[in-house]
Each structure stands twice: as C-alpha cells, then as structure tokens.
Amino acid sequence: MPDRETMPSASAPEVSARAAALPQEALRIASGYAFTGPALHLGALLWDGHCLPDAQVRVPLAMLNRHGLVAGATGTGKTKTLQLIAEQLSAQGVPVFLADIKGDLSGIAAPGRPDARVEGRAADVHQRWTATGFPAEYYALGGIGQGIPVRATVTGFGPLLLSKVLRLNRTQEQSLALVFHYADSKGLELIDLKDLRAVVTFLTSDEGKSELKTAGGLSAATAGVILRSLTAFEAQGASGFFGEPEFDTGELLRTAEDGRGVVSVLELSAVQERPQLFSTFLMWLLADLFHDLPELGDADKPRLVFFLDEAHLLFDDASEAFLESITQTVRLIRSKGVGVFFVTQTPEDVPAEVLAQLGNRVQHALRAFTPDDQKALNATVKTFPRSPYDLEEVLTGLGTGEAVVTVLSEKGAPTPVAATRLRAPESLMGPLGQEALERAVAGSPLYERYARAVDRESAYERLERGRGAKGPDEMRDAAPGRGGRAEEQRSMAERVAERGVFRSLARSVGTQIGREITRSLFGTARRSGRRRR
C-alpha cells in the first residue's frame, strides 16, 4: 500500500512549521519543493554542512513522465537512488522497469534489513522507515541468467537497431534496411538470425540478385560484411536473443492485486560483456511501447517509468539516424504516459538534444582527479540552474547517498537546486537469494508463456523449400504455352510465395503477405493484430 508520507496533502503546500526557523536561503529552497499533489520523497536538504530534516526534497508524481537523469561516479549511490524511486512509484500504483546491470536490484521484492546505517539515515532525514518488499517480475535476455526469457523477432527488432548491434556503417545500415523492406513486402517473416542470413544470401544469388535492382541493389561486398557480422554475432551466443515467443512489452504495465505497480527487473549481469546488445535491446523495449501505447496526455501519474542504466552505451558509436530516433522517441513518449530516466556517470554521456528533455535531475558526487574529470565537472555544473551553492565544491564533496537535485514543479518550472541527503530504500539493498529468485521466476504466471523457444517455419525454411522444389507446379511453369518469357521472368520469391507453405504464413500472427509491414521511426515493426495496452 502507498507509504503514508507519499500521500497528497489536503491542505496548502506542505512546509513544516519548524521550517520557518531555517536560514533564509534554505527556506527559499525548501519552499520550492512544497507541492500540493502526490509526490515522491527523495530526502532532506543539506545546507552549510548540515542536514535539515524539516526541509524535505520531493518530486511531483505527475512530473515523472517528464523524464530524468540519475548521474554520478561509481560507488556514489546511483543504484540505491533507483531503488528508492522505484519503491515509491510502485507504492503509488505505477509500474517500473529496471535494468539490473550488477545484479543487486533483485532484492526489491524482499523487505530490507534494519541496521545502524539504515536507522541513522532514517533519523537524519525524518524518514519513518519500514522494511517492505514490493511486487516484482524477473526477466533475462534470451533466458541467459535467472529470469523469464525476453526475446525479439528479427522482423520486430528492425534494421536500425540491428545495425547498431552489428556495428554496421551508414551505407551498410541502409542496405540492411533494404533487405528488411524486401522481406516485409514479400511476407518473408524474419523470426531468427538464420532467416535474415537466408534472405541476404538469396538476394545476392543468381536467382535473387535482380529482386532489388530497381531499388539500388545489394552489392556482394556489403552483403559479405553483413553476413560476416552475423556470423561473429552468432559466435558470441546471440542467437538466443532472437526468436519466438516474442516478448509483449505490455507485460511491463501490470499492477499487483493490491494495486501496487509491478517492478520489472531485467537481469543483465550475465550479458554485461555485451553492452552493445543489451543497451540496444533496452531501446527496443522502449520503442515497442511507444508504438503500441495510445496517447494519454496530462495525467495524475505516469503509466510506466523506465530506467535505462549505463545509458552512455546507447550513444557510443551510434549512427546519426539512431541518435535522431532516440531523441524523437524520448520527446514523444511523454504524451503516452511513459517517463524515461537515463542512468550514467555524467551529463556529458547524454547528447544535448536528449539531455534538454530530462526535467528531473539527481546528480551524485563526481571526482576531479584528472584534467578530463575536471572538464566533466565544469560541464556538469553548467547544466544546472543558478544556485547559491558552489556546485563544483558541493559535487566533489558529496558523500555516498547524497546528491544535488532539481526537478520540475507541478507547474513545470525547474525547482531550486537542492543538495540532498537521500532516504534509505525500504526493500533489501542487495541481491535476492538464489533459491528465492528461482522460486519467484518459476512461480510467475508469465514463465510458461515465454520459457520455451519456438522455431516455426519462416523465411529460412520457405526459401530453402523453394530452392529445392522440383514438383509438378514448377514443371508446369516451365512448359510451353504457360506464360512464355513473362512467366520465366517471374522472381523466384514470387513463385515460392504461391505455394501452400507460403499461404500458411498468412495465418501466422502479425504477418501480412503482399503488404509491407509498417515500421516506426525506430525501424521496429508496427503490425496489425498486436494487443493494445
């Protein structure tokens, strides 16, 4: 149930009577966080080296779809900040998605353990701390790790995201998009990587190379690069990430029976050596939500808050088209009720066009040990509104679990910059035990739906069957008097498409024979028949 301290006040803006005794500047800052509606409690104001528990720092619940940034050096408490925010969102009935890079967010389902540090922190910030677990689901990319497997079909993933994973250049990316265009328009559904390999191979064969002639063609050299990249990608064990059943991102929008939002934890510790892959998969989840969710407009609370950890990995070696798609998605998904928080070390890790859209900021400590560190510190300070703090000094002097905060007020204006001692999470600050995690995964109603991979007939099987077929239909096609030269010039794909095996594909969910799949600004598939959320 919602924490009593996060419930809205029925009176005027909440400023403690004792807050009147605060220093004038501290009182002005505290007044900027006195909201009338539901809000999440972040912590208490730090001023002149002291924690002022009567000056509470909060963020309006309705403003959490305006996106945010949680930044700071390693070991400064970013993960605990995610946990603190996720708990309070869940208590308010808002589902949350967390990317668990280090494997220590799984404890959110279990009550925390009181100790001297937790009790001391709670006393410092006037927090009524109660050990509480929150409803959680655990996922794992391709089933690698402990969790419900998350897979995408190659068709659904799309050429733009796949190009980033394969590290293709702009020309190769455009050629891959042409391959997807051809497969979409011919009803060649790409379920897994061998389907894509089969279509690329076909389009460079003697039988298929004329198929893309009017669209610019696919050069043998570019096809070779794509095929080699696919081979290397598969050698890294990536095949398991693509296939069916494809994950329905609507699962991320669930609430528990008691009304609390479900916290979806995607374990990435088992694949953390593949940053290009998991960071791009996170973007696919977000893009898929964007495609399917209806407009929500201004609401009292978000439909979902999505935390993208290690966000800098999204932007490393990203093409211009990829960066444009991220910027547009972040700009537009707000109106669908989804808030996105980027989690990284410094604001410099996020492109300016994206950073400008992140209205809520929690900046943990930064280090200034090297000239590059000093440069990053100076750049970070410039991204904050003017304040009475010496931010360079404050940011290098913050302790673990302390941060500089500015959020959007209920009117959408930035609040005063507030150095803040953050509250302690109420759930377990660390990984859930292995046995408890296994029970949670196996006991989930979603486990049976996604646990077992399915390899049905798709582009690979259909093209292979078409190449090898020597039946009466083909013999009749070649016979005199049955179409002459015009019949001979029909493409192999068109002849294969007439067979019964291709017609059966029309009955497959989401596949459209003879009509191209509509793709989004991110290149991911938008298909009729998908469930609306």
Side-chain angles (χ1 to χ4, degrees), residues 348 366 371-383 392:
E348 281 195 314
L366 291 173
D372 285 344
D373 290 344
Q374 185 63 48
K375 181 181 177 182
L377 175 61
N378 294 338
T380 298
V381 168
K382 292 177 182 178
T383 65
E392 283 198 24

Side-chain angles (χ1 to χ4, degrees), residues 192 194-195 198 455-466 496 501-502:
D192 50 28
K194 74 177 184 298
D195 289 322
D455 186 13
R456 64 178 173 86
E457 282 195 325
S458 48
Y460 170 81
E461 289 82 6
R462 286 154 177 73
L463 286 173
E464 286 298 306
R465 186 173 298 186
V496 173
V501 292
F502 247 84

Side-chain angles (χ1 to χ4, degrees), residues 341-362:
F341 275 70
F342 292 83
V343 185
T344 189
Q345 294 203 5
T346 76
E348 281 195 314
D349 294 334
V350 181
E353 296 82 358
V354 177
L355 188 64
Q357 300 177 57
L358 310 184
N360 303 296
R361 301 275 299 278
V362 181

